[in-house]
Amino acid sequence: MAVTKMKKMTVITESKDKDTVLQTIQGLQNVEIRDIFADSLNHEWLAQYSEEMTVQDSLIKQQDLQIRLKKIEEILMFIEHHGDSKAKKQRLKRYETDLQTLETQYDEVSIETELDEIIGIKHQWLETTEKKESLLEEEAYLYKWQNLEVLPDEVTTPIKTMELGVLGSENWEEFESKMQHLSYIHLQNIYQDEKETYVAFVYLNDIQQAVIDICRSFSVKIEHYKEEVLPKEKLRAVKQEIVDNHQIRKRLTKMIGQKKALVQQIQLAEEAILAKLQREKVVQKAIKTEQLFVVQGWIGEPDIPCLSNHLMTVFPKDELYLTFEEPTALEIEKEVPTKLSNHRLVKPFEMLTEMYSLPKYDEIDPTPWFVPFFLVFFGMMVADVGYGLLMFVGTSLALKMMTFPRGTKRFMEFFKILAVPTMIWGGIYNSFFGVKMPYEPILSTTEDVITILLLSVIFGFIQIMMGLMLNAKENIRKKNYLAAVSEGFAWQGILIGIVISLLGKIILQQPALFTIGISLTIISAITILLSPLKGSHSKVKGLAKGAYNLYGLTSYIGDLVSYTRLMALGISGGSIAAAFNMLVNFMPPIARFSIGIILIIALHGLNIFLSLLGAYVHGARLQYVEFFGKYYQGGGKAFTPLKTSEKYVNIEQSNDNM
């Protein structure tokens, strides 16, 4: 239950075995590849031997893999949005497998053949789509000119001209009147709708300027019909082309639908290519020459036997050099990543630590220390047997029946564990979906409010004392004994002294106890006040710093008050649930057992959501502000092992010793 102790791994082998080494490491998912070139200690010998090194082939492979991934994404999207809607979509259902099996299933030649065929279908589909749009546009145009009886080129001669034009329908009558006032002109309305009027007119060239002036005054757009046949004949041909194009599209639709059966295979191929891409990316952090391949990484000490056994199984002993070293002080300070290792019941709560900040490699892991408090606080704020039971059953069934991405799975396990304290506190408060169960509650949310309030503060007091103890523990580990006293034990002394004095004065009325408490408080306060004097060049500054530190006592009052939210949220959630039940009970029997059922489900669903959200946020807030603030800094570098993207399948982390 701590930050995992890390070792620096070095693997040296022949270049031809590079892929096998990296695939083995990637399959285990327990090694973070380190950049050899970033280590200044390596620069001297790297400069000596780096002339023959090249990563050009790796970059080329990366580009090739990225192109193939882009093609797959394009094809999957095309199949998803096109094709026969009746064709059964066979999306990959997430499951667990190992990397070797995944990559064995990837038949590159077969997949590439299928992808090329689908790309060909896609190109045909796009061509027919473009042609369809063009034909429909042409059909709409010809439809409006289909009543034209003669082509303009057949009428136009050196003495007369035939032209076609389009003008706004609102100007048609006035335009017609103006044109009819001219001599030697024939005007015909070909087509008219609410917006536009299509006209044809024949006139003697002697009046051409007059015709042009009228057309300009009415913004007539002159059309140039270029077809050699009349519009109605061309329209028939276009309609036939539309029918033919539609038949081609039907055939393509069927072909695309048939390709939907390949979706699973394509998605697995994408997963395998993503894994290869990840391996090629880390090659740039390793040394690769024509003969040798050298890679270094960080691995947790417990994972070393697993990795060693896997590599030794794959490679004969004399074909692979494998060592593990302790990290240097400089590497611990700047490079070694943080990997948390906790019990499986605590592990889901690591996400709360990650959200705040991971501990530094040499810092304490706060996860196991805050989990008991978070469980109590969350249960106290939701506090309903029904809600907890629903959470437990729902998450258990989901985890049993489905394979989730790792992040989602951890989130489900998180709420499954939190369901237990929710049911326990629901039993203490006697609440089952806001209904009282047939026994007297241990704590009533209506009659024992003050007791629950005091209990909340007591829980807060215990957690703050725990935080101060961890502060002292960390300082002792670092041999900073003065800080352990002034930042940890002395504050515990003040808080405990105040509690003892209050007990002696108000509750137990024991003067001796009061005196002991006051004495402990004063001694602890003096310790905090005078501690900065040691090591301070100026006694005045040291004393001022001590006084400022002592002023921090006011923040502890605020911290304790902050825990009263445990009482407030617990009571409010239960009261809202009871109010919803009462609301539905007021309905007439017919409405209660019809719309009332739907209403109560919706209302309790809303209350569950708000209660869980509130408990999650406020529970985390109490850890981050009140608890972490006493001892924890964070700022560690997350452990990022060489692994796959796990876009469609989970790669199981096989730790079995081979």
Side-chain angles (χ1 to χ4, degrees):
M1 296 193 300
V3 176
T4 305
K5 188 176 181 182
M6 306 298 285
K7 290 287 185 72
K8 183 165 69 178
M9 174 210 73
T10 301
V11 175
I12 303 176
T13 185
E14 294 183 61
S15 278
K16 65 181 178 61
D17 296 324
K18 178 203 71 173
D19 289 334
T20 308
V21 169
L22 290 179
Q23 188 190 46
T24 305
I25 292 175
Q26 189 180 33
L28 296 175
Q29 305 190 31
N30 56 19
V31 176
E32 177 181 322
I33 303 299
R34 73 185 291 263
D35 189 351
I36 291 180
F37 303 96
D39 191 340
S40 58
L41 296 176
N42 294 334
H43 288 174
E44 186 176 344
W45 65 271
L46 282 174
Q48 184 176 354
Y49 296 103
S50 62
E51 290 183 0
E52 56 178 317
M53 289 170 45
T54 175
V55 294
Q56 192 63 32
D57 57 338
S58 176
L59 293 175
I60 293 172
K61 285 182 181 178
Q62 284 184 51
Q63 290 175 356
D64 177 61
L65 292 170
Q66 285 168 344
I67 290 171
R68 286 152 68 183
L69 284 173
K70 188 175 180 181
K71 184 163 72 172
I72 286 177
E73 289 176 5
E74 183 183 330
I75 285 172
L76 288 175
M77 188 176 295
F78 174 70
I79 294 177
E80 176 74 19
H81 295 95
H82 299 86
D84 189 355
S85 59
K86 295 179 182 177
K88 187 178 180 181
K89 296 178 182 176
Q90 297 184 5
R91 291 181 180 175
L92 192 62
K93 187 178 178 181
R94 183 173 287 275
Y95 65 97
E96 291 187 350
T97 184
D98 59 80
L99 184 59
Q100 285 73 21
T101 304
L102 172 70
E103 297 198 7
T104 303
Q105 293 174 335
Y106 172 44
D107 184 344
E108 183 175 342
V109 176
S110 171
I111 285 293
E112 285 298 320
T113 303
E114 293 289 353
L115 294 180
D116 289 341
E117 187 177 339
I118 298 172
I119 287 288
I121 295 172
K122 181 186 176 184
H123 288 160
Q124 291 183 59
W125 178 267
L126 294 177
E127 287 173 6
T128 57
T129 301
E130 188 177 346
K131 186 174 182 181
K132 176 185 174 185
E133 293 172 357
S134 173
L135 288 171
L136 290 175
E137 186 178 338
E138 189 175 6
E139 181 190 30
Y141 176 79
L142 292 170
Y143 175 79
K144 295 170 182 175
W145 290 109
Q146 63 180 326
N147 292 327
L148 187 66
E149 298 294 339
V150 62
L151 295 175
D153 290 344
E154 294 175 352
V155 175
T156 300
T157 65
I159 61 171
K160 63 179 185 295
T161 300
M162 178 178 177
E163 288 189 302
L164 307 178
V166 180
L167 70 156
S169 294
E170 69 276 10
N171 298 324
W172 161 245
E173 292 182 359
E174 191 177 354
F175 174 76
E176 183 183 29
S177 174
K178 290 277 186 184
M179 292 291 266
Q180 285 176 348
H181 277 84
L182 299 175
S183 301
Y184 309 114
I185 188 167
H186 173 71
L187 178 68
Q188 183 180 359
N189 185 329
I190 305 297
Y191 170 83
Q192 187 172 30
D193 57 23
E194 293 179 354
K195 293 183 179 179
E196 294 177 321
T197 299
Y198 289 68
V199 296
F201 43 92
V202 182
Y203 58 88
L204 291 178
N205 291 344
D206 294 341
I207 62 169
Q208 185 176 33
Q209 189 56 49
V211 171
I212 291 172
D213 291 342
I214 293 173
C215 288
R216 283 178 178 171
S217 64
F218 288 95
S219 301
V220 176
K221 179 184 175 186
I222 300 300
E223 293 285 332
H224 300 285
Y225 186 77
K226 299 178 180 177
E227 300 294 338
E228 295 179 353
V229 296
L230 286 171
K232 56 186 176 187
E233 297 175 16
K234 181 64 178 176
L235 182 60
R236 282 196 293 272
V238 168
K239 285 185 175 180
Q240 183 58 48
E241 281 190 73
I242 291 174
V243 172
D244 295 342
N245 191 61
H246 180 67
Q247 292 301 321
I248 296 173
R249 288 174 66 81
K250 279 182 67 177
R251 180 174 57 81
L252 292 174
T253 300
K254 188 175 180 181
M255 292 171 68
I256 297 168
Q258 292 171 345
K259 295 301 180 185
K260 288 185 177 180
L262 297 172
V263 167
Q264 289 186 4
Q265 197 177 343
I266 296 172
Q267 288 176 331
L268 281 175
E270 184 181 6
E271 188 78 64
I273 294 172
L274 283 168
K276 289 176 182 285
L277 181 60
Q278 292 298 323
R279 294 204 293 271
E280 287 302 329
K281 284 182 178 178
V282 301
V283 169
Q284 297 177 54
K285 298 180 179 179
I287 297 173
K288 181 176 177 296
T289 67
E290 291 185 3
Q291 290 79 33
L292 286 179
F293 177 67
V294 182
V295 63
Q296 287 187 330
W298 297 110
I299 181 171
E301 196 172 52
D303 297 322
I304 288 176
C306 177
L307 177 68
S308 301
N309 289 335
H310 276 79
L311 287 175
M312 291 302 109
T313 303
V314 176
F315 295 97
K317 191 174 181 180
D318 57 348
E319 291 188 6
L320 184 90
Y321 174 78
L322 175 66
T323 62
F324 300 96
E325 306 170 52
E326 291 287 345
T328 64
L330 184 63
E331 288 169 341
I332 289 175
E333 182 184 351
K334 294 187 175 180
E335 189 181 346
V336 181
T338 299
K339 181 182 180 183
L340 303 182
S341 176
N342 289 293
H343 187 273
R344 64 184 182 87
L345 293 178
V346 177
K347 202 163 190 61
F349 295 84
E350 289 176 358
M351 69 179 185
L352 289 176
T353 304
E354 292 168 3
M355 282 172 58
Y356 182 82
S357 179
L358 279 171
K360 293 177 181 174
Y361 177 66
D362 57 349
E363 195 178 7
I364 187 173
D365 175 13
T367 312
W369 297 101
F370 75 72
V371 166
F373 293 103
F374 192 87
L375 289 171
V376 172
F377 296 167
F378 189 93
M380 202 170 175
M381 286 188 278
V382 181
D384 188 283
V385 175
Y387 291 179
L389 192 62
L390 196 63
M391 287 167 58
F392 187 81
V393 173
T395 52
S396 298
L397 287 177
L399 288 168
K400 183 76 175 175
M401 300 170 66
M402 301 172 69
T403 302
F404 293 99
R406 294 187 191 278
T408 306
K409 181 182 178 184
R410 186 168 66 163
F411 203 66
M412 301 284 280
E413 290 172 341
F414 175 75
F415 278 102
K416 181 182 176 182
I417 295 170
L418 289 173
V420 176
T422 300
M423 288 189 282
I424 293 173
W425 276 99
I428 293 172
Y429 287 174
N430 191 3
S431 176
F432 185 88
F433 287 105
V435 178
K436 299 295 181 188
M437 293 179 284
Y439 64 86
E440 287 299 319
I442 299 173
L443 287 173
S444 170
T445 54
T446 54
E447 298 174 1
D448 300 321
V449 176
I450 299 300
T451 305
I452 298 172
L453 178 67
L454 289 174
L455 200 59
S456 302
V457 175
I458 290 171
F459 284 146
F461 181 82
I462 295 171
Q463 189 176 37
I464 289 173
M465 295 299 288
M466 176 67 76
L468 292 171
M469 186 207 74
L470 292 172
N471 185 309
K473 177 176 176 290
E474 280 295 280
N475 278 311
I476 290 173
R477 186 175 64 83
K478 297 174 183 175
K479 299 183 179 179
N480 191 353
Y481 301 112
L482 182 62
V485 173
S486 62
E487 296 175 11
F489 294 133
W491 282 108
Q492 286 183 317
I494 288 180
L495 296 175
I496 292 173
I498 291 173
V499 171
I500 292 175
S501 62
L502 289 175
L503 285 173
K505 185 72 175 179
I506 300 173
I507 300 176
L508 301 177
Q509 296 182 347
Q510 293 290 330
L513 205 59
F514 175 73
T515 304
I516 292 172
I518 289 295
S519 301
L520 181 59
T521 303
I522 292 173
I523 293 171
S524 300
I526 292 173
T527 303
I528 295 171
L529 184 67
L530 300 181
S531 293
L533 292 177
K534 183 176 175 55
S536 176
H537 297 296
S538 170
K539 301 302 179 188
V540 175
K541 288 183 178 178
L543 197 62
K545 185 179 179 183
Y548 179 77
N549 292 340
L550 193 58
Y551 179 72
L553 179 63
T554 55
S555 68
Y556 284 87
I557 298 172
D559 290 344
L560 290 173
V561 171
S562 189
Y563 285 92
T564 58
R565 71 189 67 208
L566 301 176
M567 176 272 297
L569 286 173
I571 291 177
S572 64
S575 301
I576 291 171
F580 287 159
N581 294 336
M582 190 182 298
L583 178 68
V584 175
N585 280 333
F586 283 148
M587 291 181 168
I590 295 178
R592 193 186 310 160
F593 292 103
S594 54
I595 188 68
I597 294 174
I598 299 173
L599 184 62
I600 198 67
I601 291 173
L603 292 174
H604 274 291
L606 176 65
N607 195 37
I608 290 172
F609 172 74
L610 293 177
S611 297
L612 296 185
L613 181 64
Y616 177 78
V617 172
H618 288 284
R621 192 264 182 201
L622 288 174
Q623 311 311 314
Y624 294 162
V625 179
E626 272 68 45
F627 189 50
F628 284 7
K630 301 295 177 294
Y631 69 99
Y632 184 61
Q633 292 183 343
K637 176 176 171 285
F639 178 72
T640 52
L642 173 60
K643 54 185 290 189
T644 65
S645 66
E646 296 189 334
K647 186 174 181 178
Y648 301 108
V649 299
N650 289 354
I651 300 300
E652 61 180 10
Q653 190 172 350
S654 174
N655 288 321
D656 299 333
N657 292 340
M658 295 177 64

